[in-house]
Amino acid sequence: DVVVTQSPLSLPVTPGEPASISCRSSQSLLNSHGDNYLDWYLQKPGQSPQLLIYLGSIRASGVPDRFSGSGSGTDFTLRISKVEAEDAGIYYCMQALQGSPITFGQGTRLEI
Amino acid sequence: QMQLVQSGAEVKKTGSSVKVSCKASGYSFTYRYLQWVRQAPGQALEWMGWIIPFNGNTQYAQKLQDRLTITRDTSIDTAYMELTGLRSEDTAMYYCARSKDPYGLEVWGQGTTVTVSS
């Protein structure tokens, strides 16, 4: 299976400051069409996860533009330009490489 | 609006089975992936498998494929996750989620707690 490894596992941040989370894959997630099969999710306390970013860099509907995703192949980053209190929770990356079982990272706890 | 509503909490004995339902509304159930993800207490998300309601095609996580069955009833826009041979480590919150493709789980159910004890 494809292993995805996140870092850091815990990230204390101050409101208004930027934050970034890294996700590294054991295999390239880039297909022949130039798509990277990497999503980012946020799970707020007591809630179901919500989709933030898909295909590495495309913001899901309704996601604030302070969230951005970048990277290609095996190295990806989620950035929050200016953290707000409502951004607290656990962030997960998920790979969905074609032909392989889907796997999630371990999660990164954003503490504000 | 697009919505997935799951069945209620379950308490099961070790070795028994559980079947959780996930009813879709507000979108075309048939042509979207319906996925199952679980989360043990204090642990990370774990992908279990998906089904394409249109043709019934499924894919399962290897560690669960001997015990897991995902089915659907397109007449009532509902998917089911059945897990047999329950163990204490199956105690978790179980989520269904919809996606257009295998990636991008854009709509999630509210979750169903399954507790397994002897």
Side-chain angles (χ1 to χ4, degrees):
Chain A
D1 291 1
V2 178
V3 177
V4 284
T5 304
Q6 293 181 229
S7 63
L9 298 184
S10 179
L11 181 59
V13 294
T14 302
E17 294 297 307
S20 66
I21 300 169
S22 171
C23 181
R24 185 161 291 179
S25 172
S26 62
Q27 296 181 35
S28 176
L29 303 181
L30 179 65
N31 75 353
S32 58
H33 300 292
D35 294 321
N36 284 283
Y37 289 105
L38 191 285
D39 298 342
W40 290 96
Y41 297 85
L42 164 60
Q43 187 175 31
K44 296 181 180 181
Q47 296 186 18
S48 302
Q50 60 187 91
L51 176 65
L52 297 176
I53 303 285
Y54 63 97
L55 291 178
S57 62
I58 302 174
R59 263 192 309 276
S61 175
V63 174
D65 60 7
R66 64 179 181 274
F67 291 93
S68 64
S70 64
S72 184
T74 61
D75 290 297
F76 299 87
T77 301
L78 175 71
R79 291 186 175 86
I80 310 173
S81 59
K82 294 181 181 179
V83 171
E84 298 186 5
E86 66 182 28
D87 300 336
I90 303 177
Y91 290 78
Y92 294 94
C93 59
M94 183 198 90
Q95 70 78 26
L97 185 66
Q98 289 176 316
S100 298
I102 290 171
T103 48
F104 287 91
Q106 320 96 297
T108 295
R109 183 179 299 274
L110 188 73
E111 303 168 342
I112 301 173
Chain B
Q1 76 280 19
M2 294 181 287
Q3 196 173 6
L4 295 171
V5 178
Q6 299 181 222
S7 50
E10 302 267 10
V11 179
K12 294 291 183 180
K13 294 289 189 185
T14 304
S16 67
S17 300
V18 68
K19 191 170 186 176
V20 179
S21 67
C22 174
K23 181 168 177 58
S25 62
Y27 74 93
S28 177
F29 173 72
T30 308
Y31 298 105
R32 295 291 183 264
Y33 287 72
L34 197 292
Q35 312 218 28
W36 290 90
V37 175
R38 70 179 181 178
Q39 185 173 37
Q43 301 300 307
L45 301 172
E46 178 186 16
W47 177 77
M48 301 179 69
W50 52 247
I51 189 167
I52 303 174
F54 170 70
N55 54 21
N57 284 358
T58 55
Q59 184 176 22
Y60 300 136
Q62 188 169 13
K63 67 175 282 190
L64 296 172
Q65 63 183 11
D66 291 340
R67 301 191 294 129
L68 175 64
T69 304
I70 300 175
T71 57
R72 89 296 189 208
D73 184 341
T74 55
S75 69
I76 55 172
D77 291 349
T78 300
Y80 303 92
M81 184 283 299
E82 183 174 24
L83 194 59
T84 61
L86 289 171
R87 311 159 182 168
S88 58
E89 53 265 39
D90 294 319
T91 292
M93 180 74 80
Y94 288 75
Y95 295 101
C96 62
R98 164 213 124 124
S99 62
K100 181 181 174 184
D101 295 279
Y103 58 85
L105 281 61
E106 57 192 342
V107 180
W108 291 69
Q110 83 276 20
T112 297
T113 301
V114 175
T115 303
V116 182
S117 67
S118 54

